[in-house]
Amino acid sequence: MKRFALYVLMALGLIAGLAAFQNSSVLAPKLTERPVLLAHRGLAQTYSAEGITAASCTAARIDPPEHRYIENTIASMEAAFAAGADIVEIDVHPTRDGQFAVFHDWTLECRSNGSGTTRDKTMAELKALDIGYGYTADGGKSFPFRGQGAGLMPSLDEVLGRFPDQRLLIHVKSRDAQEGRSLAQRLSQLPPERLALLMVYGGEPPVAALREALPSLVTMSAQAEKRCLMRYLAMGWIGITPDDCAGQLLLIPSNYTNWLWGWPERFTARMRAVGSVVIVAGPLVGSEVSTGIDRADDLAGLGQPLPGIWTNRIDRIAPLVKAAKP
């Protein structure tokens, strides 16, 4: 019995040693380049994540403004790229006349002086709205962007035309598979070199439809990311990267990174080898909201090489990242 127990301990030691070797970053490519910087909604107004859900009107609870930009506008995207963003994230909704509007909310009442849903309006009707109308930092006593957002809601075509050589992450805000097929039809008209600079994420049905129509496109849905990471947790310890992880955008909350075999360098090398992109966000709050890396303290607290950073304040984070030693 003692001999059997010894054999078991030896076997467990060999397994632990194999796992340690397979997931050591000693032999992995070093992350010597600066992290890829992803600007959420361009250069946007920020807000506290405390107590919010996916249905919260974030425009009604913004922090006191430190800049003049309204999210998802051409100007906010220009400012984000100028500040140092490598990728800008935008939100899209289909319009009644077959276009895609770039706007965060499903409904119009929170941010604009309109009502109803984006998908029930034409692009011309949406452009007539003041999309700065609803922003307030003091509970409705003042509205610092009211009157400044008229005509600023862009179409996806406008964004693609304005930034022909820049990387974009497109957020499909529905769970409608037809929306994915419609977006795939539009994106399929782009040259391959332009399509290679785009990624798409959103609900499982539209993202699955996009992957079926455009297999080379890097995509993410919550369900696809969960499948990848759960199978990686089961297989990654012996150096196997699951097929489910290929061609994925992996948005990793910073409070979950240490669960990943070989984090950060070995994990990143494995994912890059199968065409995936790894971005670190702020910690997951509850079950619905992941924050951004938005402050110097957020960045310093990570304390390790990073493949990519998701931020709501590219103007703050980019200078810190560029100033850091590789």
Side-chain angles (χ1 to χ4, degrees):
M1 190 66 178
K2 290 182 179 179
R3 182 175 294 180
F4 176 75
L6 178 61
Y7 288 156
V8 169
L9 289 173
M10 290 174 63
L12 290 174
L14 287 172
I15 291 171
L18 175 62
F21 176 77
Q22 288 286 357
N23 294 287
S24 169
S25 289
V26 172
L27 301 179
K30 299 300 179 185
L31 290 171
T32 55
E33 76 276 16
R34 70 165 178 80
V36 171
L37 298 176
L38 193 157
H40 183 215
R41 307 184 199 171
L43 181 53
Q45 300 301 317
T46 57
Y47 49 86
S48 170
E50 183 178 354
I52 71 168
T53 69
S56 297
C57 176
T58 55
R61 54 184 295 164
I62 62 170
D63 300 320
E66 297 180 15
H67 59 75
R68 62 183 178 84
Y69 296 102
I70 300 171
E71 64 181 50
N72 277 314
T73 60
I74 295 290
S76 78
M77 299 171 210
E78 291 174 337
F81 282 125
D86 299 295
I87 307 169
V88 165
E89 186 262 9
I90 60 175
D91 305 295
V92 299
H93 295 274
T95 65
R96 198 176 75 222
D97 54 347
Q99 299 190 58
F100 280 93
V102 179
F103 189 68
H104 179 267
D105 297 350
W106 186 283
T107 56
L108 296 165
E109 288 85 352
C110 170
R111 298 177 195 282
S112 82
N113 58 339
S115 61
T117 67
T118 50
R119 61 195 57 232
D120 291 333
K121 308 290 184 182
T122 66
M123 196 66 233
E125 289 172 327
L126 293 171
K127 279 189 168 295
L129 300 176
D130 176 5
I131 60 172
Y133 189 87
Y135 287 83
T136 179
D138 53 15
K141 295 177 183 177
S142 64
F143 295 87
F145 302 107
R146 185 166 288 186
Q148 300 180 32
L152 295 188
M153 189 189 303
S155 68
L156 177 60
D157 285 348
E158 288 178 280
V159 174
L160 293 172
R162 176 62 185 84
F163 304 103
D165 304 315
Q166 301 282 20
R167 298 174 70 184
L168 298 169
L169 171 60
I170 301 170
H171 188 186
V172 178
K173 301 289 290 186
S174 80
R175 295 187 55 80
D176 182 357
Q178 180 54 45
E179 186 172 334
R181 288 188 283 270
S182 297
L183 182 58
Q185 182 178 22
R186 173 63 189 93
L187 298 183
S188 68
Q189 300 169 20
L190 299 172
E193 61 273 17
R194 181 68 187 103
L195 187 62
L197 297 175
L198 303 179
M199 299 185 289
V200 178
Y201 77 120
E204 177 79 356
V207 167
L210 273 158
R211 284 183 75 88
E212 181 178 1
L214 299 170
S216 66
L217 190 67
V218 173
T219 63
M220 185 193 96
S221 70
Q223 293 89 337
E225 181 171 36
K226 184 176 180 180
R227 285 194 297 270
C228 162
L229 295 180
M230 292 299 291
R231 290 174 184 174
Y232 181 78
L233 288 174
M235 304 164 66
W237 69 277
I238 53 173
I240 295 176
T241 304
D243 292 342
D244 296 274
C245 294
Q248 297 282 347
L249 168 65
L250 297 172
L251 183 61
I252 313 294
S254 58
N255 52 339
Y256 280 72
T257 57
N258 289 334
W259 290 89
L260 302 174
W261 296 107
W263 180 263
E265 292 168 319
R266 178 71 76 177
F267 176 82
T268 300
R270 287 170 177 163
M271 296 304 145
R272 287 178 175 176
V274 295
S276 292
V277 175
V278 182
I279 302 289
V280 179
L284 187 66
V285 179
S287 61
E288 295 191 13
V289 179
S290 184
T291 56
I293 308 298
D294 298 336
R295 304 172 303 164
D297 289 348
D298 298 335
L299 189 61
L302 296 171
Q304 54 196 349
L306 296 172
I309 292 173
W310 172 286
T311 182
N312 300 296
R313 288 302 301 264
I314 187 67
D315 55 328
R316 291 178 183 167
I317 296 301
L320 296 173
V321 168
K322 291 178 179 180
K325 293 182 179 179

